[in-house]
């Protein structure tokens, strides 16, 4: 019943920027930790960034200093600002959120549909 919808992916040249958005919808009691994973063919999905409900963040070493995650709790939305993009950032990016509902009063994990980010050199 909870749906996460992503937007903002696309094609960008190396050194460019993109901003991803992910909004959770449904009958939501509370949105806990939200974040971003990415995946390329043949590799495991890796954590890119996460942000708690209080705004504390954690980043993968490969993106630290270039990517910034933020959130708008009133809109149940998480963002990923990606600057200084590199070809190795090319992947499908998935957002996730731990969301509390009447059925899961302490939270359950949900995933977005994924959005393609392609960085050309």
């Amino acid at each position: 019943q909870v749906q996460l919808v992503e937007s903002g992916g696309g094609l960008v040249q190396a050194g460019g920027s993109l901003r991803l958005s992910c909004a959770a919808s449904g009958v939501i009691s509370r949105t806990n930790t939200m974040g971003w994973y990415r995946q390329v063919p043949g590799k495991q999905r890796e954590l890119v960034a996460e942000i708690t409900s209080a705004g504390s963040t954690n980043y993968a070493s490969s993106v630290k200093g270039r990517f910034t995650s933020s959130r708008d709790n009133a809109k149940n939305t998480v963002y990923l600002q990606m600057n200084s993009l590199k070809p190795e950032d090319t992947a499908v990016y998935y957002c996730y959120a731990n969301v509390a509902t009447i059925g899961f009063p302490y939270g359950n994990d949900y995933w977005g549909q994924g959005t393609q980010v392609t960085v050309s050199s």
Side-chain angles (χ1 to χ4, degrees), residues 41-54:
K43 295 185 178 181
Q44 290 185 310
R45 186 175 298 186
E46 66 170 342
L47 177 68
V48 176
E50 60 183 3
I51 181 168
T52 70
S53 60

Side-chain angles (χ1 to χ4, degrees), residues 7-74:
S7 62
L11 175 64
V12 66
Q13 294 185 74
S17 298
L18 285 173
R19 189 189 191 219
L20 307 183
S21 299
C22 176
S25 62
V27 183
I28 296 170
S29 300
R30 181 182 65 256
T31 302
N32 301 312
T33 299
M34 307 181 78
W36 300 89
Y37 281 75
R38 66 186 181 188
Q39 188 170 31
V40 299
K43 295 185 178 181
Q44 290 185 310
R45 186 175 298 186
E46 66 170 342
L47 177 68
V48 176
E50 60 183 3
I51 181 168
T52 70
S53 60
S56 297
T57 53
N58 183 45
Y59 299 96
S61 296
S62 58
V63 307
K64 193 173 298 183
R66 299 187 297 119
F67 292 9
T68 303
S69 183
S70 60
R71 62 189 290 163
D72 185 335
N73 289 333

Side-chain angles (χ1 to χ4, degrees), residues 45-116:
R45 186 175 298 186
E46 66 170 342
L47 177 68
V48 176
E50 60 183 3
I51 181 168
T52 70
S53 60
S56 297
T57 53
N58 183 45
Y59 299 96
S61 296
S62 58
V63 307
K64 193 173 298 183
R66 299 187 297 119
F67 292 9
T68 303
S69 183
S70 60
R71 62 189 290 163
D72 185 335
N73 289 333
K75 297 180 179 180
N76 295 316
T77 299
V78 63
Y79 305 93
L80 186 66
Q81 178 66 47
M82 304 184 293
N83 298 325
S84 302
L85 282 162
K86 304 175 181 179
E88 50 262 45
D89 294 318
T90 296
V92 177
Y93 284 71
Y94 298 90
C95 69
Y96 77 91
N98 184 274
V99 179
T101 64
I102 192 168
F104 296 93
Y106 293 97
N108 191 46
D109 291 337
Y110 299 88
W111 291 88
Q113 80 281 8
T115 185
Q116 177 70 47

